Amino acid sequence: MTEIETRVLRPDAAGIAEAARLLGAGALVSFPTETVYGLGGDARDSVAVARIFDAKGRPHFNPLIVHVPDLDAARRFADISGPVEALAKHFWPGPLTLVAPLAEGHGLSPLVTAGLDTVALRVPAHPAAQDVLRVFDGPVAAPSANPSGRISPTTAAHVLAGLAGKVDAVLDAGPCPVGLESTIVGGTPLALLRPGGLAQEDIERVVGPLKTAGDTITAPGQLASHYAPNAAIRLNANAAHPGEVLLGFGPMQSDLNLSVTGDLIEAAAHLFDHLHTLDAMDRPIAVAPIPNCGLGRAINDRLRRAAAPRT
Ligand code: AMP
Ligand code: MG
């Protein structure tokens, strides 16, 4: 990815307005939450979300947490009821992420949910995060603002050390107070998917005992493997065999193309939509070779999982 100039914004009215404007323009803005600094992009904009994965150099498309200002905003994107609703009412805003079924007409990019039918939502308590979310007035996908495999950032200086040149702006409101990632809870029955800044005991006081992730999902990579098309998938195909539909990349004849110009960010932005569309055609899917660099690694990882034999 070409390097861009990373601006540092102050958490005053002008800085917040600029952060919201940038998000609306599809740019990436790092902002503080009470847990760690997040790397934010408009969760409805697949290109912005693809740029998040690109900036972090993530080798997998694991689902991202979507940040909203309050429970009412969360309800636009997920059906929140039962014990999940009880937790939202009790602990939001705060360091708790809740996974819930996607709502009808949610409008989120399928890259945010990694093609799953659930979404992870969080209402951060940090005033700067609250201000950005209210002024932007839309869902913000935000993993921690560090290169993949590095330590989560708790200051703007940490963000700049890892991601300067890769994000459009950092909103600097000082160090994050919690410094641990949010606790993630979801599923039926309710399970602890990731321990974090809110203690399991506090959650269990409200909803009773949680299952632990060992029984369900152990790692983001495994979780992402839950979405697999029904159709058989053949990789590294230069042309379709009879009966197959072809998912192309770069200038070529194909049924659908991830990016005619061979742009990996555009390809990532189209990946889940195109797989869903081709899967609905009920024919085997052939996929053109994708270069294994930059976002191509995450695309190939996802395609390999989709092509692996099912049990
Ligand atoms: P990060 O973006 O690094 O804060 O990580 C987000 C975490 O949320 C990962 O561990 C994901 O596996 C988890 N997550 C996001 N969406 C979902 C979902 N729909 N179901 C279960 N876990 C999720
Ligand atoms: Mg992280």
Side-chain angles (χ1 to χ4, degrees), residues 158-208:
H158 294 163
V159 177
L160 289 169
L163 295 178
K166 295 193 163 71
V167 310
D168 297 273
V170 182
L171 188 68
D172 183 358
C176 301
V178 176
L180 268 179
E181 272 129 339
S182 63
T183 303
I184 308 181
V185 170
T188 320
L190 217 53
L192 180 71
L193 303 178
R194 177 177 81 184
L198 179 65
Q200 179 171 357
E201 291 81 348
D202 293 337
I203 296 170
E204 292 184 331
R205 236 168 264 132
V206 179
V207 289

Coordinates of all heavy atoms in Angstrom, one line a residue, residues 158-208:
H158 N 2.2 4.9 20.4 CA 2.2 3.5 20.0 C 1.6 3.3 18.6 O 2.1 2.5 17.8 CB 1.4 2.6 20.9 CG 1.9 2.5 22.3 ND1 1.2 2.0 23.4 CD2 3.1 2.8 22.9 CE1 1.9 2.1 24.5 NE2 3.1 2.6 24.2
V159 N 0.5 3.9 18.4 CA -0.2 3.8 17.1 C 0.7 4.3 16.0 O 0.9 3.6 14.9 CB -1.5 4.6 17.0 CG1 -2.2 4.5 15.6 CG2 -2.5 4.1 18.1
L160 N 1.3 5.5 16.2 CA 2.2 6.0 15.2 C 3.4 5.1 14.9 O 3.9 4.9 13.8 CB 2.6 7.4 15.6 CG 1.5 8.5 15.5 CD1 1.9 9.8 16.1 CD2 1.1 8.7 14.0
A161 N 3.9 4.5 16.0 CA 5.1 3.7 15.9 C 4.8 2.5 15.0 O 5.7 2.1 14.2 CB 5.6 3.2 17.2
G162 N 3.6 2.0 15.0 CA 3.3 0.8 14.2 C 2.6 1.1 12.9 O 2.8 0.4 11.9
L163 N 1.8 2.2 12.8 CA 1.0 2.4 11.7 C 1.1 3.7 11.0 O 0.3 4.1 10.1 CB -0.5 2.2 12.0 CG -0.9 0.8 12.5 CD1 -2.4 0.7 12.9 CD2 -0.6 -0.3 11.4
A164 N 2.1 4.6 11.4 CA 2.3 5.8 10.7 C 2.5 5.5 9.2 O 3.2 4.6 8.8 CB 3.5 6.6 11.2
G165 N 1.8 6.3 8.3 CA 1.9 6.1 6.9 C 0.8 5.2 6.4 O 0.6 5.0 5.2
K166 N 0.1 4.5 7.3 CA -0.9 3.5 6.9 C -2.3 3.9 7.3 O -3.3 3.4 6.9 CB -0.6 2.2 7.4 CG 0.7 1.6 6.9 CD 0.9 0.1 7.2 CE 1.9 -0.6 6.3 NZ 3.3 -0.1 6.6
V167 N -2.4 4.9 8.2 CA -3.7 5.4 8.6 C -3.8 6.9 8.3 O -2.8 7.6 8.3 CB -4.1 5.2 10.1 CG1 -3.8 3.7 10.5 CG2 -3.2 6.1 11.0
D168 N -5.0 7.4 8.1 CA -5.1 8.8 7.7 C -4.9 9.7 8.9 O -4.4 10.8 8.7 CB -6.5 9.0 7.0 CG -6.6 8.2 5.7 OD1 -6.1 8.6 4.7 OD2 -7.0 7.0 5.8
A169 N -5.4 9.3 10.1 CA -5.3 10.2 11.2 C -5.3 9.4 12.5 O -5.9 8.3 12.6 CB -6.4 11.2 11.2
V170 N -4.7 10.0 13.5 CA -4.9 9.4 14.9 C -5.4 10.5 15.8 O -4.9 11.7 15.8 CB -3.5 9.0 15.5 CG1 -3.6 8.4 16.9 CG2 -2.8 8.1 14.6
L171 N -6.5 10.2 16.5 CA -7.1 11.2 17.4 C -6.3 10.9 18.8 O -6.5 9.9 19.4 CB -8.6 10.9 17.5 CG -9.4 11.9 18.3 CD1 -9.5 13.2 17.6 CD2 -10.8 11.3 18.5
D172 N -5.5 11.9 19.2 CA -4.7 11.7 20.4 C -5.4 12.3 21.6 O -5.5 13.5 21.8 CB -3.4 12.4 20.2 CG -2.4 12.2 21.4 OD1 -2.8 11.5 22.3 OD2 -1.3 12.6 21.3
A173 N -6.0 11.4 22.4 CA -6.6 11.8 23.7 C -5.9 11.2 24.9 O -6.5 11.0 25.9 CB -8.1 11.5 23.7
G174 N -4.6 11.0 24.7 CA -3.8 10.5 25.9 C -3.9 9.0 26.0 O -4.5 8.3 25.2
P175 N -3.4 8.4 27.1 CA -3.3 7.0 27.3 C -4.7 6.4 27.6 O -5.6 7.1 28.2 CB -2.4 6.8 28.5 CG -2.0 8.1 29.0 CD -2.7 9.2 28.2
C176 N -4.9 5.1 27.2 CA -6.2 4.4 27.4 C -6.2 4.0 28.9 O -5.2 3.4 29.4 CB -6.3 3.2 26.5 SG -6.3 3.6 24.8
P177 N -7.3 4.2 29.6 CA -7.4 3.8 31.0 C -7.3 2.3 31.3 O -6.8 1.9 32.3 CB -8.7 4.5 31.5 CG -9.5 4.9 30.3 CD -8.5 4.9 29.2
V178 N -7.9 1.5 30.5 CA -8.0 0.0 30.9 C -6.8 -0.7 30.3 O -6.1 -1.5 31.1 CB -9.3 -0.6 30.3 CG1 -9.3 -2.1 30.6 CG2 -10.5 0.0 31.0
G179 N -6.4 -0.5 29.1 CA -5.2 -1.1 28.5 C -5.4 -2.6 28.2 O -4.4 -3.2 27.6
L180 N -6.5 -3.2 28.5 CA -6.8 -4.6 28.1 C -7.9 -4.6 27.1 O -8.8 -3.8 27.2 CB -7.3 -5.4 29.3 CG -6.4 -6.1 30.2 CD1 -7.2 -6.8 31.4 CD2 -5.7 -7.2 29.5
E181 N -7.9 -5.5 26.2 CA -9.0 -5.6 25.2 C -10.3 -5.9 25.8 O -10.4 -6.4 26.9 CB -8.7 -6.6 24.1 CG -7.9 -6.0 23.0 CD -6.6 -6.7 22.6 OE1 -6.2 -7.6 23.4 OE2 -6.1 -6.5 21.5
S182 N -11.4 -5.6 25.1 CA -12.8 -5.8 25.6 C -13.0 -7.3 25.8 O -12.5 -8.1 25.1 CB -13.8 -5.2 24.7 OG -13.8 -5.8 23.5
T183 N -13.8 -7.7 26.8 CA -14.3 -9.0 27.0 C -15.3 -9.3 25.9 O -16.2 -8.4 25.6 CB -14.9 -9.1 28.4 OG1 -14.0 -8.8 29.4 CG2 -15.4 -10.6 28.7
I184 N -15.3 -10.5 25.3 CA -16.3 -10.8 24.3 C -17.2 -11.9 24.7 O -16.7 -13.0 25.2 CB -15.7 -11.2 22.9 CG1 -14.7 -10.1 22.5 CG2 -16.7 -11.3 21.8 CD1 -14.0 -10.4 21.1
V185 N -18.5 -11.7 24.6 CA -19.5 -12.7 25.1 C -20.5 -12.9 24.0 O -20.9 -11.9 23.3 CB -20.2 -12.2 26.4 CG1 -21.4 -13.1 26.7 CG2 -19.2 -12.2 27.5
G186 N -21.0 -14.1 23.7 CA -22.0 -14.3 22.7 C -22.4 -15.7 22.6 O -21.8 -16.6 23.3
G187 N -23.3 -16.0 21.7 CA -23.7 -17.4 21.4 C -24.9 -17.9 22.3 O -25.2 -17.2 23.3
T188 N -25.4 -19.0 21.9 CA -26.5 -19.6 22.7 C -26.1 -21.1 23.0 O -25.9 -21.8 22.0 CB -27.8 -19.6 22.0 OG1 -27.9 -18.4 21.3 CG2 -29.0 -19.8 22.9
P189 N -26.0 -21.5 24.2 CA -26.0 -20.7 25.4 C -24.8 -19.7 25.4 O -23.8 -19.9 24.8 CB -25.9 -21.7 26.6 CG -25.2 -22.9 26.0 CD -25.6 -22.9 24.5
L190 N -24.9 -18.7 26.2 CA -24.0 -17.6 26.3 C -22.6 -18.1 26.7 O -22.5 -18.8 27.7 CB -24.5 -16.6 27.3 CG -24.2 -15.1 27.0 CD1 -24.7 -14.7 25.6 CD2 -24.9 -14.2 28.0
A191 N -21.6 -17.7 25.9 CA -20.2 -18.2 26.2 C -19.2 -17.0 26.3 O -19.5 -15.9 25.6 CB -19.7 -19.1 25.1
L192 N -18.2 -17.2 27.0 CA -17.1 -16.2 27.1 C -16.2 -16.5 25.9 O -15.5 -17.5 25.8 CB -16.3 -16.4 28.4 CG -15.1 -15.4 28.5 CD1 -15.6 -14.0 28.8 CD2 -14.2 -15.9 29.7
L193 N -16.2 -15.6 24.9 CA -15.4 -15.8 23.6 C -14.0 -15.3 23.7 O -13.1 -15.8 23.1 CB -16.1 -15.2 22.4 CG -17.6 -15.7 22.2 CD1 -18.2 -15.0 21.0 CD2 -17.6 -17.2 22.0
R194 N -13.8 -14.3 24.6 CA -12.5 -13.8 24.8 C -12.5 -13.0 26.2 O -13.3 -12.2 26.4 CB -12.1 -12.8 23.7 CG -10.7 -12.1 24.0 CD -10.3 -11.2 22.9 NE -10.9 -9.9 23.0 CZ -10.7 -8.9 22.1 NH1 -10.0 -9.1 21.0 NH2 -11.3 -7.7 22.3
P195 N -11.6 -13.4 27.1 CA -11.5 -12.7 28.3 C -10.9 -11.3 28.1 O -10.2 -11.1 27.1 CB -10.5 -13.5 29.2 CG -9.9 -14.5 28.3 CD -10.6 -14.5 27.0
G196 N -11.2 -10.3 28.9 CA -10.7 -9.0 28.6 C -11.0 -8.0 29.8 O -11.1 -8.5 31.0
G197 N -11.2 -6.8 29.5 CA -11.3 -5.7 30.5 C -12.4 -5.8 31.5 O -12.4 -5.1 32.5
L198 N -13.5 -6.6 31.2 CA -14.6 -6.7 32.1 C -14.5 -8.2 32.7 O -14.5 -9.1 31.9 CB -15.9 -6.5 31.4 CG -17.2 -6.7 32.3 CD1 -17.2 -5.6 33.4 CD2 -18.4 -6.6 31.5
A199 N -14.5 -8.3 34.0 CA -14.3 -9.7 34.6 C -15.5 -10.6 34.3 O -16.6 -10.1 34.4 CB -14.0 -9.5 36.1
Q200 N -15.1 -11.9 34.1 CA -16.2 -12.9 33.9 C -17.1 -12.9 35.1 O -18.4 -13.0 34.9 CB -15.5 -14.2 33.8 CG -16.5 -15.4 33.6 CD -15.7 -16.7 33.2 OE1 -14.5 -16.7 33.0 NE2 -16.5 -17.8 33.1
E201 N -16.6 -12.7 36.3 CA -17.4 -12.8 37.5 C -18.5 -11.7 37.5 O -19.6 -11.9 37.9 CB -16.6 -12.6 38.8 CG -15.7 -13.8 39.1 CD -14.3 -13.7 38.3 OE1 -14.2 -12.9 37.4 OE2 -13.4 -14.5 38.7
D202 N -18.1 -10.5 37.0 CA -19.1 -9.4 37.0 C -20.2 -9.7 36.0 O -21.4 -9.4 36.2 CB -18.4 -8.1 36.5 CG -17.4 -7.6 37.6 OD1 -17.6 -8.0 38.8 OD2 -16.4 -6.9 37.3
I203 N -19.8 -10.3 34.9 CA -20.8 -10.7 33.9 C -21.8 -11.8 34.4 O -23.0 -11.7 34.3 CB -20.1 -11.2 32.6 CG1 -19.3 -10.1 32.0 CG2 -21.1 -11.8 31.6 CD1 -18.4 -10.5 30.9
E204 N -21.2 -12.8 35.1 CA -21.9 -13.9 35.6 C -22.9 -13.5 36.7 O -23.9 -14.1 36.9 CB -21.0 -15.0 36.1 CG -20.3 -15.6 34.9 CD -19.4 -16.8 35.2 OE1 -18.9 -16.9 36.3 OE2 -19.3 -17.7 34.3
R205 N -22.6 -12.4 37.4 CA -23.5 -11.9 38.4 C -24.8 -11.4 37.8 O -25.8 -11.4 38.4 CB -22.8 -10.7 39.2 CG -22.8 -10.9 40.7 CD -21.9 -9.9 41.4 NE -20.6 -10.5 41.6 CZ -19.4 -9.8 41.3 NH1 -19.4 -8.6 40.8 NH2 -18.3 -10.4 41.6
V206 N -24.8 -11.0 36.5 CA -26.0 -10.5 35.8 C -26.7 -11.7 35.1 O -27.9 -11.7 35.1 CB -25.6 -9.4 34.8 CG1 -26.8 -8.9 34.0 CG2 -24.9 -8.3 35.6
V207 N -26.0 -12.6 34.4 CA -26.6 -13.6 33.6 C -26.4 -15.0 34.0 O -26.8 -15.9 33.3 CB -26.2 -13.4 32.1 CG1 -26.8 -12.2 31.5 CG2 -24.7 -13.4 31.9
G208 N -25.7 -15.2 35.1 CA -25.4 -16.6 35.5 C -24.1 -17.1 34.8 O -23.5 -16.4 34.0

